[in-house]
Amino acid sequence: MTQHQIEPDETDVQNDAIVGTAFKWSLAVFLVLAVLIIPLIYILNRPVVIDETQESELAEVQVRESSTVTAPAVTFTDITTESGIEFVHESGAKGQKLLPETMGGGCAFFDFDNDGDQDLLFVNSQTWEEFSGEEVDSPSLLALYENDGTGNFKNVTADSGLDISLYGMGVACGDYDSDGLVDVYVSAVGTNRLFHNAGGGKFKEVTESSGTGGDASEWGTSCGWFDFDHDNDLDLFVCNYVKWSKEFDSAQDFKLTGGDRAYGRPQNFEGTFPYLFRNDGDGKFTEVAEEAGLQIKNPDSGVPMAKSLGVTFDDFNRDGWLDMLVANDTVQNLLFQNQQDGTFTEVGMVAGVAFDMNGDARGAMGIDAADFRNNDSIGVAIGNFSNEMTALYVADQQSALFIDEAISSGLGPTTRLSLTFGVFFFDYDLDGRLDLFASNGHLEQDINRVQPSQFYEQPPQLFWNCGVQADTEFLLVPKNVAGQAFSRPLVGRGSSYADIDNDGDLDVVIATTGQKPRLLRNDLNSSHHWVRVKLKNDPAQVIGALVELTANGKVSRRRVSPTKSYLSQSELPLTFGLDEYSLVDKIRVVWTDGTESVIKDHPVDQMITVDAQSE
């Protein structure tokens, strides 16, 4: 018998599929309802828990009141013309818009003739015809002014040996051969110059024989003398700015908004290395920056990092050896820590001074360091570009780690708009606290056309150190207090201070670019006492020495470090304001070799000379 396969009916198959699909949907709906209904049933039937809430006591709202402290009335009088200063800086600016024209020149207070008062030197630049070697009818010269002791100056440049023409920038004064006469070094666009003080108001150029000229292709800026290797003679550090040439600058198409040619930015030029000239004695120097660890390169590109405009020396880690803090334009600042073996280690980023609080580099120029709080801390002020606050890095006495306190001190908001070059600490009102001065001015004459908040000429600024009396630590002294002559706008660059008339208070000079400088006499009228301290020892023992003055149980500390501000140098004697105190309990000097000298119970309102034998 043959068996046949029976095929299922097509209608039956379709019916079975419909039933299966319906079953699946029913199961899915049931699961969804279960997920929704079961938690709802639990919520509706869960036991009620009563939470006993405790009312918190609200904190009392406190309103911070504005300080009622006002800056003391101290008038600064412009005596530039009446004192005999006729110098006018030559920048070379005639429309070519070459970067060196914007930088100005430095100035220095120093006693070149050893008569006990502070003389004055202005660094000049050149026309571009002079720079190219062409002869001109009236060459641009440095200007040396002799002080008669009362703040009146006589131009003694002619036949002094300083009557030379170069595209000058910075100046450093120091007795490098320990003959008792202060020598002069001038940095420049091109070859730098060293002048040996021969006495009798005469200087002899010794650049070539000393080996301190540097490369003719470099652009020297701030410079200073210090004994970095503790061999008891002064060595020389020189900042270099950027790799620059007239041909390269002229070929670039730098533009302001609106199409006019503008000055180039530092970012358009490559960085370069500084110089460290080691004093070998007998008037000879050796350039040792590379072996000393000062040639810092960009880790990504391998090119020189630094674009240096300012430098100051201090013992930032308190080991008895001078370190260097270098202000750089648009790249990080550099802190060179002395390793006591002829070398330095760069620790700016670790120390907290390399960048701003956001980790950005700024357009840094002038610089100074001081114990402005009289508590053995170190404060560093750095002048920056417009729309960048002046920096105020502070490290306490326990460490060399800095925090930028510009905002909390009140300095930051009042300096944001200014383009600041020269900065320095000094006690202008002799109350015992170091105040701060800032020299300001823009680069572009037409800047107001494209930035309404900016002006080419800008007023200098004076900040009174309020101490703990006020909510703000640094108070901007208003125009009606400092005097209209002080606050009149100019194109400020380098700046320095000295007691030019031997009355105990500190006077100020502001160098410019392309303009006449401004000499401001401090006409302080108060009952505040003072002491000026002059150190007498080997030059390498004096520069870098720490002076500690105690009066009425309060201690003030100052370091002899004339290299500060921008391209400039201030006087060597130290001025201590004493407020109302009429007796100095003790003056303690720590020389750079670690030895000490002490003077006790000294009267006030006079110059005190301390030498190595004082006890």
Side-chain angles (χ1 to χ4, degrees), residues 280-321:
D280 298 327
D282 297 325
K284 306 292 185 182
F285 292 79
T286 301
E287 205 288 300
V288 295
E290 182 176 10
E291 63 191 73
L294 303 181
Q295 294 190 351
I296 307 301
K297 296 180 180 180
N298 186 305
D300 297 323
S301 62
V303 301
M305 176 183 290
K307 299 179 180 181
S308 305
L309 288 176
V311 62
T312 196
F313 308 102
D314 210 315
D315 182 8
F316 293 103
N317 61 346
R318 300 170 176 83
D319 64 353
W321 293 64

Side-chain angles (χ1 to χ4, degrees), residues 97-100 219 241-250 252 254 261 263-272 303-307 329-331:
K97 290 294 185 77
L98 300 176
L99 188 57
W219 177 349
Y241 186 34
V242 294
K243 284 291 185 183
W244 179 89
S245 71
K246 185 172 181 290
E247 293 72 25
F248 176 83
D249 198 339
S250 300
Q252 306 309 305
F254 304 129
R261 177 171 168 82
Y263 288 110
R265 304 179 305 157
Q267 295 93 326
N268 300 122
F269 300 89
E270 188 176 293
T272 187
V303 301
M305 176 183 290
K307 299 179 180 181
D329 192 1
T330 70
V331 297

Side-chain angles (χ1 to χ4, degrees), residues 11 51 69 73 143 262 284 312 359 368 566 569:
T11 302
D51 184 18
V69 174
K284 306 292 185 182
T312 196
D368 193 16
Y566 167 74
Q569 175 166 317

